[in-house]
Amino acid sequence: MVKSICYTLAAILLCLGIFIYAEIFLNRQFEEFSNALDTLYTKVENRTATPEDGYAVRTMWNDKKSKLQILVPHNDISYVDYWLSECCGLLYNDEFELALGKVEVLKEIAKNLPQTYSIKVENIL
């Protein structure tokens, strides 16, 4: 009886540790992505952004999404891919006003997506 209680407690603690690590990892990845989006936003706002700036953010995202595939559903990752591709296309055509809106949406996604998968009561129930 004591042995099974110890194993159960150990399993619960292990699960909690994994969940906490996953949340920290997810927040760190999206914080770095958000910082890159802030820089891109500033450049687009000042009309100094080039397509290479958009491609650099997309390259960074591609590196991050390969790590995030385990924690974030593919639909959410595809959503970011979609908006980022549209932004890069608009930067390629020097359509800064439209690109600014896309970057704004990406910033909002990068802010809200980690909260969707954090350990909160509303996410568990």
Side-chain angles (χ1 to χ4, degrees), residues 11-24 119:
I12 290 171
L13 289 174
L14 181 65
C15 287
L16 280 176
I18 291 171
F19 293 146
I20 291 170
Y21 174 77
E23 184 168 346
I24 291 169
I119 304 171

Side-chain angles (χ1 to χ4, degrees), residues 36-65:
L37 288 172
D38 288 339
T39 303
L40 182 62
Y41 185 86
T42 303
K43 286 185 173 188
V44 172
E45 192 173 41
N46 295 333
R47 296 179 171 265
T48 59
T50 63
E52 286 76 26
D53 293 325
Y55 298 145
V57 174
R58 184 168 29 185
T59 301
M60 175 191 198
W61 171 248
N62 285 336
D63 179 52
K64 295 204 174 301
K65 80 176 181 179

Side-chain angles (χ1 to χ4, degrees), residues 5-105:
I5 291 174
C6 289
Y7 288 145
T8 303
L9 287 176
I12 290 171
L13 289 174
L14 181 65
C15 287
L16 280 176
I18 291 171
F19 293 146
I20 291 170
Y21 174 77
E23 184 168 346
I24 291 169
F25 176 77
L26 192 64
N27 286 330
R28 187 178 308 136
Q29 296 301 312
F30 275 99
E31 184 178 324
E32 291 172 7
F33 181 58
S34 183
N35 291 338
L37 288 172
D38 288 339
T39 303
L40 182 62
Y41 185 86
T42 303
K43 286 185 173 188
V44 172
E45 192 173 41
N46 295 333
R47 296 179 171 265
T48 59
T50 63
E52 286 76 26
D53 293 325
Y55 298 145
V57 174
R58 184 168 29 185
T59 301
M60 175 191 198
W61 171 248
N62 285 336
D63 179 52
K64 295 204 174 301
K65 80 176 181 179
S66 66
K67 299 171 190 165
L68 293 171
Q69 299 266 351
I70 298 168
L71 302 172
V72 179
H74 298 297
N75 290 340
D76 290 337
I77 289 175
S78 296
Y79 197 56
V80 174
D81 287 337
Y82 170 77
W83 285 99
L84 197 51
S85 294
E86 277 202 20
C87 179
C88 289
L90 291 169
L91 288 175
Y92 184 78
N93 292 323
D94 292 330
E95 297 182 31
F96 295 107
E97 292 84 16
L98 295 173
L100 195 63
K102 305 296 180 188
V103 177
E104 186 68 38
V105 170

